[in-house]
Amino acid sequence: MGYMFEVGFLGTRAPFFMDFVTLIVGLLPLLVGIAVGFARKRRYATHRLLQILIFWVSVLVVGYFEYGVRLIGGYERLSEGSGVSLLYIQGVLLLHILIAVVTLGIWSYTLLHARADYRRGTLPGLYSQLHKRAGRRTFMGIVLTSLSGIGVYLFLFVL
């Protein structure tokens, strides 16, 4: 696992694992948007499969990220060399974590209820409008998580 801490591929001083995670977080809204596109085309089975796959890959990426941060010594260590104050980075990081945790909860809720509604035969159908609203909230949370995560990366390794 030593490769995790070698210099990454985005041209900053960030370690590989931070570049990898940031790339995935940056692409997440696009990937979820593609999955939503399948629902719009009434390809519900593909939509369902992609949403579940993207969700679980995201959970694994967060685990990989947390593992790397713990092994490297935490954010204080990662912030060494940044031109941004540690207090400011911690504030943005706290906001990012709050958004990400709330988004994970909304995304989980949406997936679990969609599965139950699908099994009951009410999705697509009776609960489609509720599902769309939950999906919009989830997508907005994913976009905000992505933007705030990229912001943390920029503060740690670029600015």
Side-chain angles (χ1 to χ4, degrees):
M1 297 292 265
Y3 73 92
M4 289 178 66
F5 307 107
E6 292 177 10
V7 175
F9 52 87
L10 293 178
T12 68
R13 61 181 186 77
F16 173 85
F17 83 94
M18 287 297 296
D19 282 2
F20 176 76
V21 170
T22 301
L23 177 65
I24 298 301
V25 167
L27 290 175
L28 194 56
L30 175 66
L31 297 173
V32 171
I34 290 169
V36 168
F38 282 103
R40 288 187 175 145
K41 294 176 187 172
R42 301 188 185 280
R43 296 186 55 197
Y44 301 120
T46 304
H47 168 72
R48 183 174 59 250
L49 175 66
L50 285 176
Q51 284 291 352
I52 292 167
L53 181 65
I54 293 167
F55 175 85
W56 286 111
V57 167
S58 297
V59 169
L60 288 173
V61 167
V62 169
Y64 176 71
F65 166 77
E66 286 296 328
Y67 177 74
V69 168
R70 302 295 173 241
L71 282 182
I72 208 164
Y75 276 97
E76 290 80 14
R77 172 102 190 287
L78 288 171
S79 68
E80 293 171 0
S82 173
V84 179
S85 78
L86 180 59
L87 187 61
Y88 189 78
I89 291 171
Q90 287 173 333
V92 173
L93 180 61
L94 182 62
L95 179 63
H96 169 69
I97 291 169
L98 178 65
I99 293 168
V101 168
V102 169
T103 299
L104 181 64
I106 294 169
W107 198 0
S108 299
Y109 175 88
T110 303
L111 288 173
L112 289 172
H113 280 267
R115 182 178 178 190
D117 293 342
Y118 176 76
R119 287 183 173 174
R120 282 192 295 264
T122 56
L123 191 64
L126 181 62
Y127 293 137
S128 290
Q129 289 305 314
L130 290 172
H131 181 72
K132 284 180 186 179
R133 274 188 268 160
R136 285 186 196 109
R137 284 190 294 271
T138 301
F139 185 74
M140 183 56 64
I142 288 169
V143 168
L144 292 173
T145 299
S146 179
L147 291 174
S148 61
I150 291 168
V152 170
Y153 179 91
L154 292 173
F155 292 145
L156 286 172
F157 305 113
V158 177
L159 302 176

